[in-house]
């Protein structure tokens, strides 16, 4: 709350002086060092509303003395704001979920290329942009969830297999307007080609238990309350439901298991929460230091414990719950490709009649 207020205050001052919030705090005695020429702050536009993120920003402030100011809003709104503000934006860093949104910001020319040996080491190459315009900070898998009382894991195999007749009336999945689904579809197009992806989408629509509506949690509740037996959902929602304050959610989650598909082939589809330095960042070096911190072993351990997401840093192990689901092979296609195919994914969904 406090940091949001300070951020707004800084933004207002920035507008009033029309020179951004950083220009009056340059450390002139150290002007030879570029990093120190920046003010001791970093301004974030974030679509992640998690307490962990807040705690991590506070820890970063403690370690570096760099003040973190956060403005939280929906990704579309933040991206629109970056566009409108142009070079007057106070934002140094955009943090959002799903490569689809990150890629969209890149396509609009709102991001800048940054390089860091630390990040090259802390983030596997398929989870960051080769041009350095975005970096994965957490990982999630979009997998098949099944009701253990109704489905045996042996009946499951691949995403592709959900198109078979045996799943008629049994699949619960949200609308195609959702970015997680667009990215999953993009991965099917990338791996199997557009024609096969379209055929798959048509068959999945025919196999749906109900009209695609609600969020991922709703799909999980569906397969417990009798609407379908299997769902497509992101892994962390099962973690969140298992630890929910709502007793009904906890009870539902007890009956559900994740199944990681395509283990004999390319692996399960994974996605990221991403961080990206903005094109007009006034504190780009501070923003990079923050991304380096967020993907460090200390921060990644906190992410893993709190949000049921997988760490991107290969030196950090997942939380106990996630480890209990077993190791899995992930599709290592570079997510830039998944971003690039978003538009194609939308056209496939439209053609397939997936609402
Ligand atoms: Fe989500």
């Amino acid at each position: 709350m406090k940091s949001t207020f300070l951020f707004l205050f800084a933004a207002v001052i920035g507008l009033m002086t029309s020179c951004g919030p950083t220009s009056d705090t340059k450390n002139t005695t150290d002007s030879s060092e570029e990093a120190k020429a920046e003010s001791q702050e970093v301004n974030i536009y974030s679509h992640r509303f998690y307490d962990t993120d807040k705690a991590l920003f506070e820890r970063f402030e403690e370690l570096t003395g760099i003040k973190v100011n956060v403005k939280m809003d929906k990704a579309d709104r933040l991206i629109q704001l970056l566009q409108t503000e142009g070079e007057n934006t106070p934002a140094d860093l955009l943090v959002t979920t799903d490569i689809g949104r990150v890629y969209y910001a890149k396509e609009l020319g709102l991001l800048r290329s940054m390089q860091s040996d630390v990040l090259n080491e802390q983030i596997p190459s398929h989870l960051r942009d080769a041009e350095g315009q975005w970096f994965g900070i957490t990982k999630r898998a979009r997998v098949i969830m099944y009701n253990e009382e109704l489905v045996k894991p042996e009946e499951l195999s691949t995403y592709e297999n959900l198109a078979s007749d045996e799943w008629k009336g049994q699949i619960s999945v949200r609308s195609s307007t959702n970015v997680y689904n667009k990215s999953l579809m993009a991965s099917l197009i990338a791996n199997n080609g557009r024609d096969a992806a379209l055929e798959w989408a048509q068959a999945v629509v025919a196999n749906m238990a109900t009209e695609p509506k609600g969020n991922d949690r709703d799909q999980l509740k569906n397969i417990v309350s009798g609407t379908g037996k299997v769902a497509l959902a992101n892994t962390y929602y099962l973690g969140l439901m298992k630890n929910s304050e709502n007793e009904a959610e906890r009870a539902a989650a007890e009956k559900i298991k994740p199944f990681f598909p395509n283990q004999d082939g390319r692996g399960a589809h994974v996605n990221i929460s991403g961080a990206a330095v903005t094109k007009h960042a006034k504190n780009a070096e501070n923003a990079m230091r923050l991304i380096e911190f967020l993907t460090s072993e200390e921060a990644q351990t906190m992410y893993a414990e709190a949000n049921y997401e997988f760490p991107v840093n290969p030196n950090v192990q997942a939380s106990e719950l996630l480890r209990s689901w077993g190791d899995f092979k992930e599709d290592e296609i570079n997510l830039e490709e998944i971003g690039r195919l978003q538009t194609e994914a939308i056209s496939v969904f439209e053609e397939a009649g997936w609402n």
Side-chain angles (χ1 to χ4, degrees), residues 50 140 180 234 236-237:
Y50 302 107
R140 55 273 300 278
Y180 307 149
N234 286 357
Y236 54 89
Y237 286 111

Side-chain angles (χ1 to χ4, degrees), residues 72-97:
M72 287 202 274
D73 209 329
K74 292 196 162 174
D76 295 343
R77 170 92 190 103
L78 294 173
I79 289 171
Q80 199 180 34
L81 203 56
L82 281 174
Q83 269 186 294
T84 317
E85 292 169 339
E87 58 186 46
N88 294 319
T89 186
D92 302 304
L93 192 67
L94 175 68
V95 175
T96 184
T97 58

Side-chain angles (χ1 to χ4, degrees), residues 145-173:
M145 301 281 188
Y146 64 98
N147 180 332
E148 261 193 305
E149 290 171 1
L150 306 174
V151 177
K152 291 189 190 69
E154 301 84 72
E155 297 172 61
L156 296 162
S157 57
T158 60
Y159 297 104
E160 286 79 357
N161 176 257
L162 293 177
S164 88
D165 285 345
E166 67 186 285
W167 299 110
K168 188 133 285 187
Q170 300 303 342
I171 301 173
S172 184
V173 58

Side-chain angles (χ1 to χ4, degrees), residues 4-16 20-21 41 43 69 90:
T4 311
F5 172 75
L6 285 172
F7 180 80
L8 286 172
F9 179 68
V12 168
I13 296 297
L15 283 173
M16 282 165 64
E41 66 176 2
N43 299 307
N69 305 310

